Amino acid sequence: MPAKNRILVTGGAGFIGSHLIDRLLEKENKVVVFDNLSSGKMEFVEQHLKNPDFSFVKGDLLNPEAIERVCKDADMVYHVAANPDVKLGASDTKVHLDQNILATYNLLEAMRKGNAKRIAFTSTSTIYGEASIMPTPENYGPLIPISLYGASKLACEALITSYSHTFDMQAWIFRFANIVGPRSTHGITVDFIKKLKENPLKLEILGDGKQEKSYLHVSECVNAILFAIEKSKQEVNIFNIGSEDTISATGIGKVIVEEMGISNVEFTYTGGSRGWKGDVPRMRLDIEKLKSMGWKPAYTSEKSIRDTTKALISEN
Ligand code: NAD
């Protein structure tokens, strides 16, 4: 029997990471999750604890020795760990520098020293900034992020591509639209459900509610990642992953209100075209590159939001 692939997933106890490991363990893989549980949860991975092909290491990417121990000879590293809170950069200017850039540097160094050669990275649409071309293709430029989060993820991409070239590594960079689904712990759907549970009569929406963005279900996101890795063989492989349409912030509010079975909710707006400093009001990614290879999303943004709302209501 061929040896199983040894796969390391940083951030594997988080929202997207835990769905990824569910899928990786369905195949012939040995999976190690490395996570500091800052936003990840043991309950997202505990169904695998008895699986001999799964192990969980509680550790921090800011501790180089800890990440070096698990990186050695990994056949593949999925680098999912990050601080994904876009808003936070406006009040804490160091968090994304540490949790995203420095953490990624520590991981790449551990890979270099441990002879791990393949990395997949979860990047973001925010690296494009306020793109003038919509939907935005992978070769859009110049890249002018407007949030410290977007800047940090762009810096991570640059580190990854230059390590790939310098140290003969291979990289897959995935620029996600907004990802939603069961186990979501942050983002607009989570926020709106929380607000409406606290007060079912009123929903405060940040900005003017007209922000139009693409939302993709996490199951489709994981499918796209695994599909792209299987089908692409360049030294650096960059893919947008998103849905083919958008939904507005107000539209999301309406879907959630419907799914929660409440009525007569007053929508109020904080005003302005963006929800917060660093918010990109319009986002849709061009996914022709993945489509031309044979992958396309089945769900609309609205369907993904609707399914997520149902799942989150039943989770709590
Ligand atoms: P998440 O917060 O649920 O997952 C991040 C995981 O990383 C958590 O389990 C957390 O405990 C872990 N982690 C954070 N800092 C760490 C550190 N220093 N050491 C070890 N572990 C650490 O977030 P998510 O939504 O699942 O996002 C996953 C990835 O996808 C992130 O890289 C994020 O930037 C990217 N992304 C997410 C979205 C989205 O809509 N959710 C969109 C674009 C990109």
Side-chain angles (χ1 to χ4, degrees):
M1 205 170 72
K4 294 183 176 180
N5 277 327
R6 283 151 308 155
I7 297 180
L8 172 66
V9 183
T10 72
F15 161 48
I16 298 172
S18 64
H19 285 279
L20 176 66
I21 66 160
D22 290 348
R23 287 290 306 280
L24 291 171
L25 284 164
E26 282 169 11
K27 301 191 173 181
E28 292 288 293
N29 293 310
K30 273 190 166 310
V31 174
V32 177
V33 164
F34 182 88
D35 198 301
N36 68 358
L37 296 178
S38 53
S39 58
K41 297 185 181 175
M42 271 320 278
E43 69 196 63
F44 292 168
V45 297
E46 67 193 1
Q47 68 276 24
H48 301 303
L49 289 174
K50 291 203 174 110
N51 182 341
D53 288 331
F54 175 78
S55 51
F56 178 81
V57 177
K58 183 165 184 226
D60 199 311
L61 280 161
L62 295 184
N63 176 349
E65 291 80 35
I67 187 65
E68 275 170 31
R69 279 194 290 276
V70 292
C71 239
K72 207 171 162 359
D73 292 327
D75 293 308
M76 179 75 186
V77 177
Y78 288 86
H79 180 32
V80 184
N83 183 308
D85 185 347
V86 189
K87 280 193 206 87
L88 194 57
S91 54
D92 179 345
T93 54
K94 197 151 180 290
V95 65
H96 295 127
L97 182 78
D98 289 340
Q99 300 300 328
N100 301 349
I101 305 178
L102 191 55
T104 300
Y105 166 74
N106 286 343
L107 174 65
L108 288 166
E109 275 296 280
M111 288 179 65
R112 182 178 68 81
K113 291 179 188 166
N115 208 32
K117 293 286 187 193
R118 302 167 84 223
I119 181 168
F121 176 62
T122 51
S123 191
T124 153
S125 64
T126 60
I127 61 116
Y128 294 116
E130 291 183 285
S132 57
I133 297 177
M134 203 73 43
T136 312
E138 287 89 349
N139 60 4
Y140 175 83
L143 298 172
I144 308 177
I146 61 163
S147 61
L148 299 198
Y149 168 75
S152 73
K153 295 296 259 193
L154 183 55
C156 294
E157 288 195 8
L159 280 173
I160 290 167
T161 60
S162 47
Y163 264 74
S164 297
H165 183 77
T166 313
F167 304 110
D168 300 319
M169 296 177 177
Q170 193 181 13
W172 287 264
I173 290 172
F174 298 108
R175 296 174 177 162
F176 296 162
N178 291 312
I179 309 301
V180 293
R183 304 179 195 152
S184 287
T185 51
H186 56 97
I188 189 167
T189 321
V190 173
D191 283 354
F192 281 8
I193 294 174
K194 185 165 170 272
K195 282 179 177 171
L196 286 165
K197 276 189 175 160
E198 279 161 19
N199 182 0
L201 297 174
K202 194 179 129 186
L203 178 64
E204 183 192 68
I205 296 179
L206 303 182
D208 58 11
K210 293 183 181 142
Q211 304 96 309
E212 281 282 343
K213 306 189 198 188
S214 153
Y215 292 80
L216 185 75
H217 197 273
V218 66
S219 59
E220 302 213 90
C221 173
V222 171
N223 280 341
I225 292 173
L226 299 177
F227 175 88
I229 291 174
E230 200 185 307
K231 301 278 180 194
S232 55
K233 307 277 177 251
Q234 304 292 313
E235 182 178 272
V236 172
N237 307 276
I238 301 182
F239 294 97
N240 284 338
I241 298 184
S243 60
E244 294 191 276
D245 65 351
T246 58
I247 184 169
S248 69
T250 299
I252 292 175
K254 286 182 182 158
V255 169
I256 293 176
V257 163
E258 251 174 65
E259 289 300 326
M260 289 178 80
I262 46 183
S263 49
N264 299 324
V265 181
E266 183 199 354
F267 286 15
T268 63
Y269 298 92
T270 58
S273 62
R274 58 184 95 238
W276 58 87
K277 268 264 189 241
D279 183 26
V280 175
R282 284 171 66 235
M283 181 271 287
R284 183 154 75 92
L285 299 176
D286 186 327
I287 56 167
E288 278 311 312
K289 187 171 172 188
L290 262 182
K291 280 175 76 180
S292 69
M293 290 161 58
W295 178 86
K296 79 185 193 67
Y299 293 180
T300 59
S301 292
E302 183 186 322
K303 163 103 173 117
S304 295
I305 295 286
R306 205 171 276 288
D307 283 16
T308 300
T309 308
K310 287 193 180 102
L312 294 180
I313 292 170
S314 68
E315 271 173 30
N316 296 307

